[in-house]
Amino acid sequence: MSVCDPDSFHTDDPRLGLVEQLLEIGTALSGSYNLSELLELILSKSREITCSDAGSVYLVDRSDDYPKLLFKTAQNDSRPNISFREFAMPLTPHSLAGYVALTGETLNLPDAYNPPPGAPYKLNRNFDRDLGYQTRSVLAIPMRNRTGDVIGVLQLIDRKTRPDVQLTPANVVEMTQPYSKWEERVVSSLASQAGISIERNNLQEAIEHLFEGFVRTSVQAIEMRDPCTSGHSERVAQFSVKLAEAVNNAESGPLQSVRFDNRQIQELRYAALLHDFGKIGVPEAILVKAKKLYPERLETIRQRFHLVRRTLELECLQEKYRHLCDRLHDRPDAADGEDPSPPPDSLEWDRQLENRIAQLDEYWQLVLRANEPAVLSETCLQQLQELAAYTYTDVDGRRKPLITEEELAQLSLSRGGNLTPAERSAIEAHVSHSYAFLKQIPWTKSLAAVPEIAYGHHEKLDGSGYPRGLTEEDIPLQTQILTIADIYDALTAGDRPYKHGLAPNAALQILSREATKYAINPDLLKIFEEQQVYASVAPSPQARRLRTA
């Protein structure tokens, strides 16, 4: 449809048809949220409605101290195979678009090669020379935002007398005509709609950038409390997105009919980035706990062992002194200067002290071994019970155990971990904390599932997960993807203080065992492994060192 082709209108009255066309264009503009697509639509519809052979769109960039004009897109019916690349140029009044952007005035030039006398602008003929083209009539109109600021320029070139003609330098004078005042008004109206659409798009992008910044700042806040897991959330997000894309590309298997759209993938990404945010509500000491005992508690025990050692030495010296005094009492002549011989039990006392200190040292080594987050042998557990029965005399004269019941319970953890049941419950509560936090965010309709996706990342298909013990039918597929990504990165990262990272093959074997038990989705894991999704994300520095070792 075009002004120069009345037969293309739906009605006998071209102007009424133009109104219909403008309404259709307005509807199309309001439905486009991609800036590139929006600019292409603005330009194509403007050219269509004015029968313009070519055109271009410029946007004003004032993001720094040097305002620029960005050449965003161009179209040319007579040179359809020419590709145009975006570039920036200084915002000055010397170019047609620059003049319009700075002054806010419309330029309607019958012959662009011959601008009005004294005009500060002129046409850059390099484009025409490079393309073998000739620009004649030009209509350049400012696009404004809601406050009236110029945000871009819509430039139409060579209004044709017939829409089907292909222009050449030889026929351009004959086959083109100036833009009329009426067309100028029509395009100005369209440019106003375009400006509002561009501003809406810019606001949408600004909101998305703002939220993206909020998400990344939230992730940074988590990692500042738990530096050992730095990068975990970002890697899990990348693994999750890659796996979802691999599912989309599946051509066989149970998941071949599953397709995630861009909205669902974005939901998954945000859920992955924020899945551990609830750790901000977990005590920091528990988050960074590397071994069974907290460092300050281990230091307290060390000081206690040191006190016992000194007590044993002092008791030995006191015993020797007491026997020496007794001998001096029994042999008064020794007081006149005769050196009494050592007590006959002195060597025995030294041997006893040596044995007791050796035993104490063995107990200390036992504490250090048991403090590691590893599975304890039965022998080690028995030795801990022996240690629990060891008592000493404190400075207040009271007999006390060398290690307390609480310390014994922590050292006796036999699951291969470093957390007590209470500490593990506090860690596991991060899932509920994350959900409570994410539910407070006023998500858009397209991202409404983010809280629920994140909420289930520790659930298992067989119901053995936490915190709700969900089974497969209640766990979204996006969450099942997140679970695999989270477990794999936790196994391979090597950045946890309580464990060493595993090589990819070892981690995949563990995941395979989980899939065999139907704790995680075996079909997703198959894609994760066969499509080598696990190799598509840069590993953590610790994992990288492990792979090259």
Side-chain angles (χ1 to χ4, degrees), residues 226-367:
D226 187 8
C228 296
T229 60
S230 178
H232 169 70
S233 295
E234 179 63 40
R235 292 192 300 272
V236 170
Q238 293 179 35
F239 279 127
S240 298
V241 169
K242 295 288 186 181
L243 181 51
E245 292 172 346
V247 170
N248 282 351
N249 296 329
E251 298 179 352
S252 61
L255 298 176
Q256 62 179 323
S257 61
V258 176
R259 292 294 180 270
F260 297 105
D261 58 29
N262 292 337
R263 175 191 63 80
Q264 291 171 314
I265 290 179
Q266 184 72 311
E267 272 185 329
L268 174 59
R269 177 174 173 270
Y270 281 140
L273 284 171
L274 294 169
H275 74 283
D276 275 346
F277 186 81
K279 287 183 177 178
I280 205 164
V282 177
E284 188 170 348
I286 298 178
L287 280 180
V288 300
K289 188 181 182 185
K291 301 188 179 183
K292 296 178 182 178
L293 295 170
Y294 293 106
E296 58 273 17
R297 177 56 66 93
L298 183 62
E299 176 61 19
T300 298
I301 296 175
R302 192 188 71 81
Q303 293 291 347
R304 203 180 296 149
F305 269 74
H306 182 74
L307 173 63
V308 172
R309 184 188 187 99
R310 289 292 177 261
T311 300
L312 290 174
E313 292 172 347
L314 180 60
E315 287 176 349
C316 181
L317 289 174
Q318 287 176 336
E319 191 68 21
K320 290 181 178 180
Y321 178 75
R322 185 163 49 252
H323 279 268
L324 180 60
C325 290
D326 291 342
R327 292 196 62 189
L328 288 174
H329 182 269
D330 295 337
R331 294 181 57 188
D333 55 324
D336 295 332
E338 181 181 347
D339 184 17
S341 59
D345 296 331
S346 179
L347 294 178
E348 180 61 26
W349 292 331
D350 288 341
R351 281 193 296 269
Q352 290 179 3
L353 176 61
E354 184 177 341
N355 291 337
R356 290 175 179 176
I357 289 179
Q359 183 187 41
L360 196 65
D361 290 341
E362 289 178 6
Y363 280 150
W364 174 246
Q365 293 302 316
L366 173 63
V367 169

Side-chain angles (χ1 to χ4, degrees), residues 271-492:
L273 284 171
L274 294 169
H275 74 283
D276 275 346
F277 186 81
K279 287 183 177 178
I280 205 164
V282 177
E284 188 170 348
I286 298 178
L287 280 180
V288 300
K289 188 181 182 185
K291 301 188 179 183
K292 296 178 182 178
L293 295 170
Y294 293 106
E296 58 273 17
R297 177 56 66 93
L298 183 62
E299 176 61 19
T300 298
I301 296 175
R302 192 188 71 81
Q303 293 291 347
R304 203 180 296 149
F305 269 74
H306 182 74
L307 173 63
V308 172
R309 184 188 187 99
R310 289 292 177 261
T311 300
L312 290 174
E313 292 172 347
L314 180 60
E315 287 176 349
C316 181
L317 289 174
Q318 287 176 336
E319 191 68 21
K320 290 181 178 180
Y321 178 75
R322 185 163 49 252
H323 279 268
L324 180 60
C325 290
D326 291 342
R327 292 196 62 189
L328 288 174
H329 182 269
D330 295 337
R331 294 181 57 188
D333 55 324
D336 295 332
E338 181 181 347
D339 184 17
S341 59
D345 296 331
S346 179
L347 294 178
E348 180 61 26
W349 292 331
D350 288 341
R351 281 193 296 269
Q352 290 179 3
L353 176 61
E354 184 177 341
N355 291 337
R356 290 175 179 176
I357 289 179
Q359 183 187 41
L360 196 65
D361 290 341
E362 289 178 6
Y363 280 150
W364 174 246
Q365 293 302 316
L366 173 63
V367 169
L368 295 180
R369 289 197 305 273
N371 192 38
E372 295 297 324
V375 177
L376 297 180
S377 66
E378 286 298 324
T379 300
C380 190
L381 289 172
Q382 292 174 2
Q383 291 173 338
L384 283 174
Q385 291 299 324
E386 294 175 8
L387 173 57
Y390 190 104
T391 61
Y392 71 101
T393 302
D394 203 352
V395 291
D396 58 4
R398 299 171 58 186
R399 299 295 294 179
K400 295 182 179 178
L402 187 53
I403 60 171
T404 66
E405 291 184 4
E406 180 185 356
E407 293 162 352
L408 176 64
Q410 290 178 316
L411 291 171
S412 299
L413 294 172
S414 57
R415 290 180 54 185
N418 65 326
L419 299 177
T420 65
E423 291 168 341
R424 188 170 299 278
S425 295
I427 283 287
E428 292 179 353
H430 83 272
V431 180
S432 298
H433 295 330
S434 293
Y435 180 71
F437 163 74
L438 294 175
K439 285 292 289 183
Q440 299 301 313
I441 298 175
W443 299 96
T444 61
K445 183 178 180 181
S446 63
L447 297 173
V450 168
E452 192 64 34
I453 295 171
Y455 197 12
H457 74 275
H458 277 296
E459 301 289 351
K460 300 294 178 64
L461 303 187
D462 60 0
S464 63
Y466 65 87
R468 293 173 291 170
L470 301 181
T471 53
E472 178 185 10
E473 57 271 16
D474 297 318
I475 304 175
L477 191 59
Q478 291 154 291
T479 298
Q480 297 177 35
I481 289 175
L482 171 56
T483 298
I484 290 177
D486 186 40
I487 295 175
Y488 178 80
D489 188 71
L491 290 172
T492 59

Side-chain angles (χ1 to χ4, degrees), residues 43 47 54-58 71-75 97 143 153-157:
L43 183 56
R47 290 178 50 246
S56 53
V57 176
Y58 299 83
F71 179 87
K72 299 294 292 186
T73 188
Q75 298 170 1
M143 296 185 292
V153 175
L154 173 61
Q155 182 171 276
L156 302 177
I157 297 172

